[in-house]
C-alpha cells in the first residue's frame, strides 16, 4: 500500500491566517502539489486526510458507508448548539430518527406544503429594492428562514420570537466557526464567557420552540404542516418523540434548512447577473407557465429553471465539504485507511473536476439536460448515500419556485466583477450587491 502524501503542520501554521479567512486556496494548492488525496499533519497524533477524488467519496459515502461515521465536528461541536438530532447523530440513534422523520419529507407529503412555501416566497421578494445597488443576501436569508417557519408552523407563531430564533441560529454558527478555525483560542472562549453566552442563547432558542409546540398542542388545531407531521410520527413501538428530541429535530431543521438554501439562491442571482441570456431563457419558461395554477404541475414544467439551480450548486455547493471518520481498517485504490482516520472530501473541488465537467469553471445549465448527472458519483450538492440531506426535495421546490417568482417580476442588471465567497460551516456569498429592475414586458 502506498503512503498518502503528507502536508506538514508547519505548512499549515504558516498559512493559518489565510486559512481562517478562506481555506479553499490552501486546499487547492496542496491538491495540485500532492495529488487528489493528501494528509495534513496537525500534531503528533492528529491529522486529517483531504480528498477531491470523486470515486473515493463514493466509496466512503455509499459503497462502504457502514464503516464511516460523522466526525466530532458535527456530533460534538455542532451538537452542543443544535442538539442530538438527525444531522448530528451516528449509529442506531441516527437510523431510528431517520426512519421516523423520512416520511414527512417524501414528495407526496411535501405536496401539501408547496402553497405555504410559495406564500413565504411572495412575501419576502417584495422586499427587493429596485433601480439601485442592493445586497440580496439578507432577503434570501429571510426568505429561506420564513419558508421553514411556514412549513413547520404555518406562520401561526409570534414574529418577534421568530426573529429572535433567527438571530440565535446565526450567532451559533459564527461562534462554531471561531471554535473550529481558531482551536488555539478555545481556552479564551471559555474563560471570557463568550462560549457560555452562546450556549445560553441556544437554551433560549429551545425555550422558544418548546413554547411553540406547547401552544400547538393546546390549540387542538391541525394545519397539516411539518410540525403536525412530526407530532404524528411514531417509532416502531408506537411511541412519539419525547419533547427534548422533538426540539432537537426542529432546531436542526431551522439551522440546516435555511442556511444552505439562502446561500444557493444568492449564488444563483449572482450567476444570473453575469449571464443575461440565461435570465432570458428562464423568463421564456416562466411565460409559458404563468397561467398554470397547479403549483406541482408548474414545478414539473420548470425544467430549465431546475437546471440553473443544479448548475449553481455545482459551482457553489452550500455544503462544500463532507467529513467522515473511519470505524475499522479499510482501503481505497492503493491507500490504506486506518481506524479513526479523519477524512474530509472537498465537494467544491470535485464539482470542478475537468474529467467530469468540461469547462468546469463556466456556468452552463445546459449540461444538466443530461439528468443522469444528478445521480452521478461526482455531483454531491446534498451529500450522498443513506445520509443524503433529508430535505433535498423541499429545498429544490423552494429554490425553483423562488427563481420562478423572481424572474417573473424582476430583471437582474448585468454585473461583471468576480463572485466573492466566504467559506464558513457552509459556503456563503460575500458582498452580493446586485441591481434589480421591474420587468416592463
Amino acid at each position: 500500500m502506498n503512503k498518502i502524501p503528507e502536508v506538514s503542520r508547519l505548512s499549515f501554521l504558516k498559512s493559518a491566517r489565510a486559512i481562517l479567512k478562506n481555506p479553499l486556496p490552501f486546499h487547492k494548492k496542496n491538491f495540485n502539489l500532492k495529488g487528489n488525496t493528501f494528509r495534513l499533519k496537525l500534531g503528533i497524533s492528529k491529522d486529517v486526510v483531504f480528498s477531491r477524488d470523486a470515486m473515493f467519496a463514493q466509496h466512503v459515502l455509499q459503497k462502504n458507508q457502514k464503516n464511516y461515521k460523522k466526525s466530532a465536528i458535527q456530533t460534538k461541536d455542532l451538537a452542543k448548539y443544535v442538539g442530538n438530532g438527525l444531522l448530528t447523530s451516528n449509529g442506531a440513534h441516527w437510523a431510528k430518527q431517520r426512519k421516523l422523520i423520512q416520511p414527512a419529507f417524501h414528495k407526496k407529503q411535501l405536496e401539501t406544503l408547496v402553497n405555504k412555501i410559495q406564500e413565504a416566497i411572495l412575501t419576502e421578494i417584495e422586499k427587493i429594492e429596485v433601480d439601485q445597488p442592493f445586497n440580496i443576501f439578507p432577503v434570501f436569508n429571510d426568505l429561506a428562514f420564513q419558508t421553514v417557519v411556514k412549513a413547520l408552523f404555518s406562520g401561526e407563531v409570534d414574529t418577534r420570537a421568530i426573529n429572535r430564533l433567527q438571530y440565535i441560529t446565526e450567532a451559533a454558527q459564527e461562534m462554531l466557526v471561531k471554535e473550529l478555525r481558531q482551536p488555539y483560542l478555545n481556552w479564551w472562549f471559555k474563560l471570557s464567557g463568550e462560549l457560555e453566552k452562546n450556549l445560553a442563547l441556544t437554551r433560549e432558542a429551545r425555550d422558544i420552540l418548546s413554547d411553540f409546540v406547547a401552544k400547538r398542542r393546546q390549540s387542538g388545531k391541525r394545519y397539516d404542516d411539518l410540525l403536525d407531521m412530526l407530532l404524528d410520527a411514531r417509532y416502531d413501538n408506537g411511541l412519539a418523540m419525547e419533547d427534548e428530541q422533538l426540539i432537537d429535530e426542529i432546531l436542526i431543521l431551522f439551522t440546516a434548512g435555511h442556511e444552505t438554501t439562502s446561500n444557493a439562491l444568492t449564488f444563483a442571482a449572482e450567476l444570473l447577473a453575469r449571464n443575461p441570456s440565461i435570465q432570458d431563457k428562464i423568463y421564456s419558461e416562466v411565460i409559458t407557465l404563468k397561467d398554470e395554477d397547479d403549483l406541482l404541475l408548474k414545478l414539473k414544467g420548470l425544467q430549465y429553471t431546475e437546471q440553473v439551480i443544479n448548475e449553481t450548486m455545482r459551482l457553489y455547493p452550500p455544503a462544500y465539504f463532507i467529513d467522515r471518520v473511519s470505524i475499522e481498517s479499510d482501503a481505497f485504490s492503493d491507500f490504506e485507511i486506518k481506524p479513526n482516520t479523519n477524512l474530509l472530501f472537498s465537494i467544491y473541488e470535485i464539482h470542478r473536476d475537468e474529467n467530469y465537467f468540461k469547462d468546469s469553471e463556466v456556468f452552463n445549465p445546459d449540461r444538466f439536460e443530461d439528468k443522469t448527472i444528478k445521480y452521478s458519483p461526482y455531483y454531491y450538492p446534498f451529500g450522498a448515500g443513506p445520509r443524503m440531506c433529508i430535505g433535498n426535495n423541499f429545498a429544490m421546490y423552494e429554490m425553483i419556485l423562488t427563481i420562478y417568482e423572481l424572474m417573473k417580476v424582476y430583471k437582474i442588471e448585468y454585473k461583471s466583477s468576480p463572485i466573492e465567497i466566504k467559506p464558513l460551516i457552509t459556503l456563503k456569498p460575500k458582498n452580493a450587491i446586485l441591481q434589480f429592475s421591474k420587468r416592463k414586458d
Side-chain angles (χ1 to χ4, degrees):
M1 303 294 290
N2 288 334
K3 190 176 181 182
I4 296 175
E6 290 185 358
V7 174
S8 70
R9 185 168 184 261
L10 180 61
S11 175
F12 170 71
L13 291 174
K14 284 181 177 178
S15 304
R17 184 172 293 182
I19 290 170
L20 183 61
K21 292 182 179 178
N22 182 358
L24 296 179
F26 178 79
H27 297 169
K28 188 175 186 66
K29 180 184 79 171
N30 287 295
F31 283 131
N32 291 340
L33 285 172
K34 303 291 185 177
N36 287 339
T37 302
F38 67 86
R39 186 187 304 274
L40 175 61
K41 299 293 289 184
L42 296 176
I44 295 173
S45 59
K46 187 176 181 181
D47 53 20
V48 178
V49 172
F50 289 77
S51 184
R52 63 178 180 186
D53 186 327
M55 297 304 108
F56 191 6
Q58 182 190 45
H59 174 83
V60 168
L61 300 175
Q62 294 176 289
K63 291 186 175 180
N64 197 23
Q65 53 84 20
K66 289 184 178 179
N67 189 52
Y68 296 88
K69 61 183 180 180
K70 287 201 168 185
S71 74
I73 290 174
Q74 296 191 57
T75 61
K76 181 181 176 183
D77 298 321
L78 177 59
K80 71 175 180 280
Y81 294 112
V82 298
N84 187 29
L86 197 59
L87 179 67
T88 57
S89 58
N90 278 316
H93 181 69
W94 167 81
K96 181 181 177 183
Q97 290 304 112
R98 181 83 183 202
K99 184 177 180 182
L100 178 75
I101 297 170
Q102 181 74 58
F105 287 90
H106 283 159
K107 282 189 174 182
K108 275 290 182 187
Q109 291 285 5
L110 292 179
E111 288 175 7
T112 66
L113 299 177
V114 290
N115 288 313
K116 299 180 194 296
I117 293 171
Q118 188 189 39
E119 189 178 331
I121 291 167
L122 290 172
T123 298
E124 296 303 319
I125 66 170
E126 286 183 1
K127 297 176 183 177
I128 291 174
E129 298 175 17
V130 296
D131 301 326
Q132 61 181 311
F134 171 71
N135 188 347
I136 190 59
F137 177 75
V139 170
F140 285 145
N141 197 46
D142 289 348
L143 182 153
F145 198 87
Q146 291 300 326
T147 301
V148 177
V149 171
K150 282 282 187 184
L152 267 166
F153 303 118
S154 298
E156 299 295 314
V157 286
D158 181 81
T159 302
R160 285 178 297 178
I162 285 297
N163 291 340
R164 184 64 177 165
L165 189 62
Q166 184 172 355
Y167 167 78
I168 292 170
T169 58
E170 291 167 3
Q173 185 193 153
E174 290 178 10
M175 185 64 215
L176 180 58
V177 169
K178 287 184 182 180
E179 293 179 77
L180 296 179
R181 298 257 179 99
Q182 297 173 290
Y184 44 85
L185 290 180
N186 281 347
W187 65 273
W188 170 249
F189 298 145
K190 292 178 182 177
L191 187 64
S192 67
E194 188 173 1
L195 178 60
E196 176 53 34
K197 175 185 172 184
N198 280 273
L199 292 175
L201 286 174
T202 297
R203 291 192 290 272
E204 181 186 344
R206 298 183 71 86
D207 289 342
I208 291 170
L209 292 174
S210 294
D211 185 55
F212 289 166
V213 172
K215 286 179 177 176
R216 173 63 62 87
R217 286 192 173 118
Q218 291 165 9
S219 74
K221 294 180 181 178
R222 281 197 64 86
Y223 295 89
D224 292 323
D225 50 21
L226 281 177
L227 180 57
D228 278 342
M229 294 178 197
L230 293 174
L231 289 170
D232 290 344
R234 294 293 182 268
Y235 295 111
D236 290 341
N237 61 7
L239 296 177
M241 270 188 282
E242 293 184 0
D243 279 2
E244 281 298 302
Q245 187 65 57
L246 177 63
I247 299 305
D248 284 352
E249 300 299 353
I250 294 174
L251 194 53
I252 284 170
L253 286 174
F254 270 112
T255 302
H258 95 278
E259 175 78 17
T260 52
T261 304
S262 60
N263 293 348
L265 284 170
T266 304
F267 282 123
E270 288 270 40
L271 287 162
L272 290 173
R274 290 158 178 82
N275 294 273
S277 63
I278 293 177
Q279 287 191 61
D280 292 341
K281 197 167 179 179
I282 295 174
Y283 185 64
S284 295
E285 186 173 69
V286 166
I287 290 301
T288 64
L289 291 162
K290 68 173 184 172
D291 295 325
E292 177 55 69
D293 293 327
D294 188 319
L295 278 180
L296 290 173
L297 288 177
K298 185 172 286 185
L299 281 163
K300 289 176 184 176
L302 292 167
Q303 293 293 311
Y304 185 72
T305 304
E306 181 179 349
Q307 289 171 212
V308 167
I309 295 296
N310 285 324
E311 177 70 345
T312 297
M313 291 192 294
R314 182 189 69 80
L315 282 169
Y316 298 100
Y320 65 102
F321 69 88
I322 296 176
D323 62 324
R324 291 291 185 268
V325 178
S326 58
I327 298 170
E328 298 178 356
S329 294
D330 194 11
F332 174 78
S333 185
D334 56 354
F335 293 137
E336 180 184 5
I337 305 160
K338 295 179 180 179
N340 296 313
T341 297
N342 291 286
L343 300 165
L344 192 149
F345 294 99
S346 176
I347 305 306
Y348 185 87
E349 288 285 331
I350 290 172
H351 283 187
R352 282 171 160 74
D353 191 326
E354 287 285 338
N355 292 310
Y356 308 121
F357 300 102
K358 185 181 177 183
D359 299 323
S360 64
E361 297 292 335
V362 175
F363 180 57
N364 177 19
D366 290 342
R367 72 175 88 241
F368 280 90
E369 285 179 357
D370 178 0
K371 297 189 183 302
T372 63
I373 294 177
K374 291 194 296 182
Y375 312 103
S376 71
Y378 41 87
Y379 185 61
Y380 296 106
F382 296 106
R387 299 209 68 147
M388 177 181 280
C389 173
I390 197 170
N392 63 320
N393 290 322
F394 181 98
M396 287 302 297
Y397 283 174
E398 178 184 353
M399 289 187 286
I400 292 168
L401 275 177
T402 299
I403 297 300
Y404 167 83
E405 297 293 352
L406 191 71
M407 290 290 99
K408 186 168 71 173
V409 179
Y410 301 102
K411 285 183 178 180
I412 309 175
E413 301 300 321
Y414 178 71
K415 184 178 180 181
S416 60
S417 59
I419 292 174
E420 297 180 65
I421 61 174
K422 186 179 180 182
L424 296 175
I425 301 301
T426 59
L427 188 65
K428 294 180 76 73
K430 182 181 177 183
N431 298 327
I433 310 298
L434 300 174
Q435 185 160 319
F436 292 77
S437 59
K438 284 283 186 78
R439 286 190 178 273
K440 297 179 177 62
D441 44 352

